[in-house]
Structure formats: structure tokens, C-alpha cells
Amino acid sequence: MRIEQFAKMVERMRTEKHLLVHPPESLLEQWQSELSVVLCEGNEIIAHVTLWPLVGDWFELGNIWVEREHRGRKLGHQVMEEVLRKRNHIMLTSTNPIVWQMSADQN
């Protein structure tokens, strides 16, 4: 994987307002640390999930993202299954202020 691939993915992710998008450098570092899973078609990342270290061997689940035109093919399931094989202690929480605001708006 190369930084350019992550940069292109981040550019596409930024079109989705509900996502808290991290810089491509940090996402590449997560992948190099085996804390993320990507699926590619050719040289393009089309699905991605990452974990963020919390404390000890606990991790927060980050964005689960699938390129729009590839949705409906169970690629999100594939990246989640793979990330769950890598780590056992994953918290499904949100530190994303956008999600917090969306939740507050619903109440």
C-alpha cells in the first residue's frame, strides 16, 4: 500500500459528511501497524476499516467505509470479519462529534 492510495480514499471519504476522516498518513500508519483492513480493486482502495488504540489491548472501531459504487456487495462485512480476526477487544463507541450532534438532533 502507498500513501497515494490512502490520499485518494480520504478524498472520496470527505464527501460523506457523517465520517470523521483522518489524514492519509495516519491511516497508512494504522495499516502498517496491522490495525486496519483494506480491500482494493486494481490500485484503488474500495473498502476500509480501522481500529484506534485505547488502553492496553482495547481498541475503538473507526470508520467502516465502502466506495459508493461498490456498496451492496458485502464488502463492509468482509473488512469487519477480517479486523475481528486480528483483535479481540474492540469497543463500538463514537468519539466523532458529528455523530454526537446527529444523535442529539434526533432526540
Side-chain angles (χ1 to χ4, degrees), residues 47-86:
H48 173 265
V49 65
T50 195
L51 300 175
W52 297 98
L54 290 174
V55 63
D57 60 352
W58 284 91
F59 298 87
E60 178 185 13
L61 180 65
N63 292 327
I64 305 166
W65 175 81
V66 177
E67 179 72 65
R68 278 187 198 280
E69 52 267 14
H70 295 283
R71 292 178 184 169
R73 295 175 41 199
K74 306 247 185 230
L75 300 178
H77 290 257
Q78 288 179 35
V79 293
M80 278 303 300
E81 286 175 0
E82 182 61 28
V83 84
L84 289 170
R85 278 193 281 274
K86 290 181 176 217

Side-chain angles (χ1 to χ4, degrees), residues 9-41:
M9 178 187 71
V10 164
E11 186 177 308
R12 294 188 313 270
M13 288 175 80
R14 286 200 171 120
T15 66
E16 303 193 41
K17 296 178 182 176
H18 66 285
L19 296 179
L20 181 61
V21 182
H22 293 270
E25 296 82 7
S26 66
L27 295 176
L28 176 61
E29 184 178 308
Q30 291 297 98
W31 181 79
Q32 290 169 335
S33 299
E34 297 186 1
L35 293 176
S36 70
V37 174
V38 298
L39 294 178
C40 294
E41 188 169 89

